[in-house]
Amino acid sequence: MTMSGIFCTQDLIQEFGNARKEGIVRAFKLEIIEEQIVSTAKFDVEGDEVEDFEKIKDFMEPKKGCYVLYRLDSQNKQFGFEWAFFSYVGEGSKVKDRMLYASSKDNCRKKLGYTYFITNLYGTDADEFTFEMIKEARKPSSSKQETLQLLTENEKIQREEKFMEVAQGTQTEYVHGVAFPCSTDLMEKFKNLVSGQVNLVQVALNIQNESLELDSAETIESVDNVVRNLNNDHPRYVFWNYKYIKDNESKNTLIFFYVCPDIAPIKEKMLYSTVKSAALTQAKQVGVDPEKKLEVRDLNDLTEEWLKNELHPVKKETNVRRFTKPKRAGRGSRRLIRSKK
């Protein structure tokens, strides 16, 4: 089915983001009102996930539609509490409402973040929704496990990235509708980089807080020393003001390195890849605008020679042979033969 043009409001996106961090809200009721998906009701955690489950049925009114976001007690190491997504359209609802809720649910999940929901279930009667459905969704599929085992690491990253939807704002990039803002310390060091107080700023993602944090800021002159200060196991963003000599002239180039070691956890690679442009956008706002952007997967590849070649590629000279038309067969060059009159 074609997706509608109906999306979550920014208030809903922010409210859901806060609920994921705080872990207090057990469930949200979402409705489509004036061509927007909004939160119209919610309740907090009281018992465990099984005891609280029956309360979501109070959200499901006859002949009306709604979405329900239900927070489970289980947690994902990367993304915190897991959630269930329910799409309900009561029996006897208007045809238009049925079509709207059916065509808008993917937009809703996309804006809130596919990765947070372990299941997506649909029903037309409140009694159809049982906690047994959650238990079934948690059971690992043997075929899925076999498929994952056969995937290469790059294929696994691509598979994960499908669920890391990014919605571009005018100033900042959003992941799952939640901004990854720079910390105050990081923004201060970016300013120091511009003023020349430091020449290298290393940035790390705080996945739990969904923010960009300062990893280190210092003055480093050589490529070898930069490599010694990089993490071998986890991705990082590095902004380095590189000074070097080229053709007996002193040169200065601000470089952005996306360092992504092959042995880093797949989900970290996925997140760093997705948030990269957010880091660059926010750095640019305070004057940090790299002239060159490079990706490094193996720190052994990051050498002075490689870096200079990336900045000033050596032009390969090619000897172009001109085609010479062969001489005609016979003696000497072609002669003009006058016809006899």
Side-chain angles (χ1 to χ4, degrees):
M1 176 177 285
T2 304
M3 287 194 293
S4 72
I6 294 173
F7 295 94
C8 302
T9 62
Q10 286 301 317
D11 286 344
L12 168 57
I13 292 170
Q14 188 62 52
E15 190 175 12
F16 181 63
N18 292 337
R20 287 189 294 98
K21 290 179 183 179
E22 296 165 0
I24 297 171
V25 177
R26 174 65 80 184
F28 288 96
K29 177 183 180 179
L30 312 183
E31 294 182 84
I32 298 175
I33 298 176
E34 296 181 355
E35 298 188 347
Q36 294 187 101
I37 303 171
V38 299
S39 171
T40 56
K42 63 182 178 182
F43 65 83
D44 291 343
V45 174
E46 292 184 8
D48 62 28
E49 59 183 14
V50 180
E51 294 167 342
D52 288 343
F53 188 79
E54 288 297 309
K55 296 175 187 176
I56 67 170
K57 296 179 181 180
D58 294 337
F59 290 159
M60 301 173 182
E61 302 176 52
K63 297 183 180 182
K64 288 188 177 182
C66 71
Y67 303 127
V68 176
L69 315 179
Y70 188 73
R71 202 220 80 185
L72 304 170
D73 291 340
S74 53
Q75 295 192 48
N76 178 294
K77 290 181 180 179
Q78 296 289 337
F79 303 114
F81 286 107
E82 295 177 321
W83 293 72
F85 185 96
F86 301 117
S87 180
Y88 165 80
V89 182
E91 199 71 54
S93 299
K94 295 177 182 178
V95 174
K96 180 182 177 182
D97 288 346
R98 292 203 297 270
M99 292 180 65
L100 275 179
Y101 278 94
S103 61
S104 302
K105 64 180 179 181
D106 280 344
N107 279 344
C108 182
R109 291 168 58 235
K110 175 180 177 179
K111 288 297 181 181
L112 297 178
Y114 285 126
T115 315
Y116 300 123
F117 301 102
I118 67 165
T119 187
N120 170 30
L121 301 168
Y122 171 82
T124 59
D125 188 313
D127 291 332
E128 291 177 3
F129 295 95
T130 65
F131 199 78
E132 291 300 316
M133 300 166 84
I134 304 293
K135 291 180 180 178
E136 285 298 316
R138 281 173 167 164
K139 289 181 180 179
S141 166
S142 59
S143 60
K144 285 182 181 178
Q145 292 300 319
E146 290 169 6
T147 300
L148 286 172
Q149 287 172 6
L150 292 172
L151 291 176
T152 65
E153 183 166 300
N154 283 337
E155 288 171 333
K156 288 178 181 178
I157 294 171
Q158 291 170 5
R159 182 187 178 96
E160 292 280 359
E161 283 182 339
K162 286 199 310 181
F163 300 99
M164 297 297 294
E165 297 296 336
V166 180
Q168 297 264 347
T170 55
Q171 296 272 332
T172 311
E173 182 179 80
Y174 293 88
V175 177
H176 302 313
V178 179
F180 272 70
C182 293
S183 68
T184 304
D185 287 346
L186 176 56
M187 292 301 277
E188 192 62 36
K189 292 304 178 184
F190 276 153
K191 293 175 183 177
N192 291 347
L193 181 61
V194 174
S195 67
Q197 295 179 52
V198 297
N199 75 346
L200 183 143
V201 173
Q202 192 170 176
V203 182
L205 283 185
N206 185 322
I207 297 173
Q208 191 66 35
N209 294 335
E210 293 183 338
S211 60
L212 291 157
E213 305 285 344
L214 175 67
D215 190 52
S216 66
E218 50 205 311
T219 297
I220 298 179
E221 301 300 336
S222 72
V223 176
D224 287 344
N225 284 334
V226 170
V227 172
R228 290 190 188 100
N229 280 271
L230 296 179
N231 196 307
N232 280 309
D233 303 322
H234 300 279
R236 289 291 184 270
Y237 306 132
V238 179
F239 297 81
W240 186 36
N241 201 356
Y242 176 44
K243 294 181 180 179
Y244 59 101
I245 304 295
K246 171 69 175 175
D247 297 330
N248 296 320
E249 289 185 19
S250 178
K251 293 189 177 294
N252 201 62
T253 303
L254 181 58
I255 305 171
F256 171 81
F257 296 102
Y258 168 38
V259 181
C260 187
D262 287 331
I263 62 172
I266 290 175
K267 286 190 176 180
E268 283 190 22
K269 292 180 182 179
M270 172 186 66
L271 272 171
Y272 273 83
S273 176
T274 306
V275 181
K276 179 174 64 175
S277 58
L280 287 165
T281 298
Q282 293 178 82
K284 189 175 181 179
Q285 290 173 1
V286 290
V288 179
D289 191 8
E291 300 168 54
K292 188 73 175 179
K293 302 177 183 69
L294 300 170
E295 182 170 334
V296 179
R297 293 188 175 277
D298 187 340
L299 295 183
N300 291 323
D301 294 336
L302 183 49
T303 63
E304 187 98 24
E305 181 182 0
W306 174 80
L307 186 55
K308 286 184 176 180
N309 191 52
E310 287 293 320
L311 296 175
H312 304 282
V314 178
K315 294 181 180 180
K316 294 182 180 179
E317 294 184 4
T318 55
N319 295 322
V320 180
R321 285 189 173 185
R322 292 184 178 180
F323 176 74
T324 304
K325 187 176 181 180
K327 292 182 179 180
R328 63 184 287 273
R331 297 178 181 178
S333 58
R334 184 184 294 276
R335 291 173 291 179
L336 177 64
I337 301 175
R338 297 180 183 275
S339 62
K340 295 181 181 180
K341 294 184 179 178

